[in-house]
Every structure is written in C-alpha cells, then in structure tokens.
Amino acid sequence: MSDASSLTTVGLPGLLLWAAALLALAVGAVALDGVLAARSEGAPLRPSLTRVVDETARLLRQRRRAPLSADTLVWRVGSSGLVVAALLMVAVVPFGDHVVSDLDVGIVWFNTMDVLVWALVWLLGWGANSAHSLVGGYRFLALALAYELPLMFALVAPAVGAASLRLGDVAAAQSGLWFVVWMPVAFAVYCLGVVAFSVWGPFAVPAGHDLAGGVLAELSGVDRLLAQAGRYALLAAGALFAVPLFLGGGAGPALPGWLWVPVKASVLLALFVLARRTLPSVRPERLMEVGWVVLLPAVLVQDLVVAVVVAVRG
Amino acid sequence: MIGVLVDIGFWVLGILAVASAVLVFVVDSMARATYALALSFVAVGLSLLLLQQNYVGVVTVLMMVMEMAVMAVYMVMYMGMNPALMPMSMVHDKRAALAVSVAAFVVLGAGALLVPWPVRRGVPSPDVTAALGEALMGKQMLVMVVVSPVMVATIVGGIVLAAGRTRYDRFGDDLDVRPPRDPERGGVGR
C-alpha cells in the first residue's frame, strides 16, 4: 500500500537550509505572538514585529548571571539542548523530494527527541539551584508523564496507516486522503503533545508567572536566549513534523512540494501560537487523569480503527 | 573508508559509555549521577546503530532517557533525611563495592574476550531488526504472552498492597461517596 518513497538525501550540509526554515518559522511565531499580545493590550503593533531582533540584541549584550552554587554544566546543557533537539527533529522531515536524512525509523526518532526534552527541561530546572526553577522542572515532568503516552500512541496511527516508520513513505501514503481526515483523534493528541513539550500555551506552567518564571526564572543573557529560542523552535519543529505525518507532505496545487511543507506548517504553527491566548493554563496534577483516562483510550481506539481499515483494505 | 568510520564510531561510543558510567560514582550530585548514567546508555544505544539496528538503537535512547528522567525524581524523593538536593557522595561501603564491581567487570570482560565467537556463515538478512526480533521472540512467544499479564498483575498487586488508602477511604464504607474523597482532585471530575 505504501508507495516506495524516492527521496534525495542532501546530508549534513543541507541541514543548514533545514535550520534556516526552522528559524524562519520560529521567528514568525515570535512575531505573531508579539502582535497578538500588543493587540490584546491595545499597544502599537509595530514594536512587536521587531521583537525578535530587539530581544536577541538585548540578551546577547546582557551579562550572564548565575545563582550561588548553580550547577552550570547541567544548566547550560538544559538551556542549549532544546534548540538541538528541535533541529534533530526536522532533520528527518522531507521538503518535497529532499531530506537531510532518510532515516528508516523517522517517527521513532522524533519521539526520542521529544523525550530528550524531558531531560533537558528538568536539568534546566535543577541547574539553577533555585527553588522556583526546580519546582518548574518537576511540574514539567508531571505534565510529561501525562501527555507522553497519548502522544506515543498518536504517532502509531500514521505509522500503521502507511505501514512504515519512514517519513517519506508516510507522506507518500497520503496521496489519496490526508491522514488528518481519517485520523482526527491522533492529530489532535499529537498537536496537544507538541504544545506541551514546547512548554507553551496551556502547558507553560513549568515556566509560569506564579513561579516567577519557573525553569526560566534565573536564566539571563545568551542562556535565556537559547532556552526561549528552543521553546519556539520545538513548537515550529512539531508543526513541520505534522506535515508529512498528517497533512499530506508536499502535496498541493500550484506551488512546488518543498514550498508546501513550510506553508502548511506555518498555518499549524499560527494555531499553536493562538492557543497561548485562548486556552487556560492546565494544572500539572490535573492532567494525569485527563491524559490516561480520556486521551489514552481515545487514541488507542483511533489506532484500532486505523489498523482495522488497513487490514480490510489489504 | 566506511569500515574505518565504523571503527572510530565504535571506539568513541564505547569509551564514552564506560567513562560516563564511571562518572556516575565520581560526581557528587544526584542530577549529575543520573544523567551521567543516561549518557552512558545513550552511547550504548547509538553504538547499536553501528550494527544497523536503527530501531533498537533509537528506542534504547528513548527508553533510557525517559527512565532516567523519572529515576532522578525518585532518587531525590527516596533519599529521605539525606540532603539529596545538596552535594553528596554516590557510594556506600566503598571497599566491598569496589571489590565486587572490579570482580564483575573482570568476569564479564574476560567472558567477552575469551568466548569462542562463531564465524559468520552466509550473509545478514536484509532486515536485521526483523531477524533479531524473530530470533529473540519467535520460539518464546507463548512465554512472553503469558509473562506479560503476570507482570502487570504483579505491579497492580504491589501497588494495592503498598497503598495506604483503599477504596473504602476513597468512596466510604458503602462505596457510594461521589466524588471520592481524594487529597488531590483528578482532572476529569471523578
């Protein structure tokens, strides 16, 4: 059933282009978030459009501070690792016919990178040697235990539908019907997982105002810049990864395939950004039941439906 | 050329795995010890990629990072009166532990070096992951199918025995109290 994908592997030099696409999407997300914030406060919109540049310049010039006895090594692994995890996620995403690495286990690779975020955010919370940061790290793990299993089983649905873990095959298998149409539950749970592992919107409580910034509380200078960039990059990487997984890959009229991928991703990313100002925060201790009593059975039924459809179609 | 790269990869990952495993006992912080162990497992997982076991290698990294993230929480939690949030030694009973671990390392290392490894006959199967799964699970499938429900029952039984609160504490003597009397409310209003 799955068409054998014929992707051209561009290898490590091509990763620069993929990084540029990721950066462009992340910058767009920051700008959109700034515009939405300015509009809700009735402030002028123009400053929010250059917010990325202003904030980057400010943080690059700011002197790094560290609390007494901070574990600087693990702290900096945490703050700088998020961007790396996001970049490694998109390395297996095909843009049209080209991909950095045509890994045969691309979906598992994505899952591994999002589990890496567990470690990175907790280390970010631990490293600062500050109670607020540490509580933020624990909050993230509490959320992670709740969203990760539903997310894992949501990733199973497209893999079963395409009978492959390779992203090129998954995108090619949607030439008739996009997976988002007949796997809506898996898509919804996937989106929820992406927003959650990006510490964003309703799941931003590990970095919440009630914790004086939580895992971000003590960060300054380039460390803060990297950690914040990492959150936006993860959000953008999740949106990009959804395109071959659920949204038909590069398929679309008029535009070339490599352009359709970022176009579709930016629409999804805009929805993720909107979620920040439209949905209420989730209390970490309350998500466990929602995740395991509601989402997990729902997504398991989705997997069953997909498996039955695939078996019947033969 | 590829052979040389594989050799370099093997040695780099092997040394990284052993060195970070040693670090687990050298460092003085719970977080560093846990994640040094995670790094060691990641190196092992990545070295499985050298065997072209892509699925097994990537899944090993996934499972081990997840496990260590949860283990860090438990290690700090169960340290009790010991100040696990402060710098502390990662070893107890140093002399006996050192003797046991050196002996275990020597026995396992000697076994790996001295065992007569079989020579390759034929060529590897095109899908080595499926071949490995078949070799490991094929004949033992019935055992695996029986063992997994027993393991789940053991876990559930253990939690039921260990839990301080029973369903009578939650739902009352006649099991008719709704919503249950829980210290934390759940997320779905039960």
Side-chain angles (χ1 to χ4, degrees), chain A residues 217-243:
Chain A
E218 302 289 347
L219 287 165
S220 55
V222 68
D223 298 330
R224 186 176 197 85
L225 178 66
L226 281 171
Q228 289 284 29
R231 290 171 71 201
Y232 283 98
L234 282 170
L235 207 59
L240 267 174
F241 201 86
V243 175

Side-chain angles (χ1 to χ4, degrees), chain B residues 91-99:
Chain B
V91 287
H92 313 278
D93 196 3
K94 283 182 202 172
R95 249 175 288 170
L98 202 60

Side-chain angles (χ1 to χ4, degrees), chain A residues 71 104 112 119 126 141 286 289, chain B residues 31-32 35 54 58 73 187-188:
Chain A
D71 190 338
D104 58 351
T112 304
W126 172 280
L141 282 188
R286 298 270 174 91
E289 264 194 25
Chain B
R32 285 191 175 199
Y35 283 96
N54 290 357
V58 176
V73 174
V188 294

Side-chain angles (χ1 to χ4, degrees), chain A residues 59-193:
Chain A
L59 287 175
L60 281 178
R61 288 173 58 209
Q62 189 181 59
R63 183 192 288 233
R64 269 172 165 178
R65 286 173 286 108
L68 193 67
S69 321
D71 190 338
T72 339
L73 176 67
V74 306
W75 200 24
R76 291 195 177 141
V77 167
S79 59
S80 54
L82 296 174
V83 182
V84 179
L87 188 57
L88 288 176
M89 274 179 192
V90 296
V92 295
V93 173
F95 277 62
D97 300 331
H98 291 79
V99 67
V100 176
S101 167
D102 191 16
L103 196 63
D104 58 351
V105 291
I107 293 181
V108 188
W109 175 260
F110 172 84
N111 204 181
T112 304
M113 292 310 132
D114 91 60
V115 166
L116 221 51
V117 176
W118 288 41
L120 294 171
V121 175
W122 189 80
L123 286 176
L124 196 57
W126 172 280
N129 191 29
S130 132
H132 289 121
S133 294
L134 189 63
V135 173
Y138 279 109
R139 278 188 180 182
F140 183 78
L141 282 188
L143 289 175
L145 283 169
Y147 76 70
E148 189 65 44
L149 274 172
L151 173 60
M152 281 179 171
F153 283 100
L155 292 172
V156 166
V160 172
S164 174
L165 292 169
R166 191 191 298 268
L167 278 194
D169 296 343
V170 177
Q174 300 173 62
S175 53
L177 187 61
W178 290 6
F179 282 167
V180 63
V181 179
W182 61 288
M183 304 176 187
V185 179
F187 179 68
V189 171
Y190 170 84
C191 290
L192 185 141

